[in-house]
Every structure is written in C-alpha cells, then in structure tokens.
Amino acid sequence: MTSQLFPPDVQQTLDLVGIFVFALSGGLLAVRKNMDIFGICVLAEATALGGGVMRDLVIGATPVVAFTNLGYFVTPLMAALVVFFLHPEVERINRAVQTLDALGLGLFCVTGTAKAHDYGLGAVSAMALGMLTAAGGGVIRDVLAHEMPALLRWDREIYAVPALVGSAMVVVLIGAGQLTTATGTASALTAFVLRMLALRYGWRAPRAWHRNGSRTSEE
C-alpha cells in the first residue's frame, strides 16, 4: 500500500508523537477557556484525532483507526492530564510545542494523502484529505471553543498552506511512481520547514483587495 511509507512500528511511534503534541494544543486552549478536566480531555481528543477521523469517514475506512487502536485514543488523554497538572510549564515551552506541531503537520499531510489515494481517490481529492488530516483537528478544536478556526484567520501565520504543499508533493510523487520512504519524508519536511518559516517571519495569506487595488480596511 502507498500509505505504508514507514515500518509499522516506526509509523505508529510517529503517529503517537504527533497525536500527543496536537492534543497538548487542544488542552492548552481548553485551559485558556477555563474549561474543566472533561473539557480539556474533549478538546485534546478532538484536536489530536479529529482530522484523521474525518478523513477515514470520507474514504469509508471504518471503523476508524482512532477507535480500533487503543494507543491512539489513550494518548490524547495522557496529554490532557499533562496540561491539567502542568499547563504553566507547557505554556513556557510553547516554542518547542509549535515545532513538534509543525512536524506533526508534515507527517499527517503526507500519510493522509497517501491513505486517501490507497482508497481510490484522485489527486485533488487526496490532496484535500491530506490537508484535512493535518489541520482538521485544529478546526474542530476552535469550533468547540467558540473561536474562529486559526487557519481561517488572517492574523495567524499560514498553517493549511504548508500542509497543502506537502500533500501536493505526495500526489505528484504518486503520479510519477516515486513515492518512497525518502521522498515521503522529504515532502513532510517541506511542509515542516514552510510552517517554521511562517512562524519565524510571520508569513500570512493575502486578504481580499478592492477593485482599485487597495487592501480591505476591515480587520
């Protein structure tokens, strides 16, 4: 299968690390919203697993892996407990969390795209589901917390765009018959580097322009 880019043990370890870090971001938002332990766990689970669950439902990969692999379901709960007891310390290492989050973004956009292809989707659809796998959990997190999804806000550094780039590289590689562990890793690292550069230099997607060429004044 195309989606088996890494040995199963390596793939699961990478998945769990990515899930844990995504869950931390969900738990931290829950703390900022003054939620209780249940709310922290819900946002941690939704952020970590939401993208993969939506992808699997779209492609018909049921029951979804998040509910058939106990490690995938328990890992966000562990992250939620870390946030519950140690959220000030986690906030202080936010830069490290963002770096690991960017790595997770790169990994999941690649594996999500490859899995969608394995289930018969075309290039454009597989690319869209790759982005959904990587960024969908964050959208669910923000909606549950009554916030505009971060990837739709002009004042946040680009997040979905790096995932789209990584996914696009994967579909090109699949079309050329060149998707391997090495090229898949290169695609994930490309998405990672783009996300880190966006954080470093404040890269944002352009907003709408008026016909006269001036940028809209609303913020």
Side-chain angles (χ1 to χ4, degrees):
M1 293 177 69
T2 304
S3 55
Q4 285 297 119
L5 295 176
F6 308 100
D9 290 345
V10 174
Q11 179 72 57
Q12 175 147 337
T13 299
L14 292 172
D15 284 347
L16 292 177
V17 171
I19 286 170
F20 185 85
V21 176
F22 279 11
L24 288 179
S25 71
L28 286 173
L29 180 59
V31 170
R32 296 185 197 114
K33 291 289 186 175
N34 203 30
M35 296 183 184
D36 60 17
I37 181 62
F38 183 76
I40 293 172
C41 290
V42 168
L43 256 64
E45 290 279 358
T47 309
L49 304 177
V53 168
M54 289 192 290
R55 176 204 62 217
D56 287 351
L57 290 175
V58 169
I59 64 179
T62 56
V64 297
V65 68
F67 296 100
T68 58
N69 187 319
L70 185 60
Y72 285 14
F73 191 81
V74 170
T75 298
L77 297 179
M78 295 171 59
L81 290 176
V82 170
V83 171
F84 182 76
F85 290 107
L86 301 172
H87 61 88
E89 288 77 9
V90 177
E91 289 278 15
R92 281 198 288 271
I93 60 168
N94 188 54
R95 186 66 180 181
V97 172
Q98 287 183 325
T99 300
L100 292 173
D101 181 271
L103 282 170
L105 179 80
L107 171 68
F108 291 146
C109 74
V110 168
T111 57
T113 303
K115 185 171 184 177
H117 172 266
D118 282 345
Y119 277 79
L121 270 66
V124 174
S125 298
M127 186 171 67
L129 280 185
M131 183 196 70
L132 179 68
T133 305
V139 174
I140 296 173
R141 172 201 65 205
D142 293 341
V143 170
L144 289 175
H146 292 181
E147 295 227 338
M148 178 183 288
L151 62 82
L152 300 180
R153 293 179 55 174
W154 74 269
D155 59 340
R156 296 290 180 87
E157 296 83 0
I158 54 172
Y159 193 85
V161 172
L164 273 175
V165 171
S167 297
M169 291 179 65
V170 172
V171 298
V172 170
L173 289 166
I174 290 173
Q178 297 298 319
L179 183 61
T180 63
T181 298
T183 58
T185 300
S187 301
L189 288 176
T190 298
F192 165 72
V193 169
L194 285 175
R195 173 59 178 164
M196 293 306 296
L197 288 173
L199 289 171
R200 174 66 178 82
Y201 295 107
W203 290 351
R204 298 168 185 170
R207 289 185 290 161
W209 290 67
H210 288 307
R211 289 182 183 177
N212 63 10
S214 61
R215 198 181 296 271
T216 57
S217 59
E218 279 190 45
E219 297 188 0

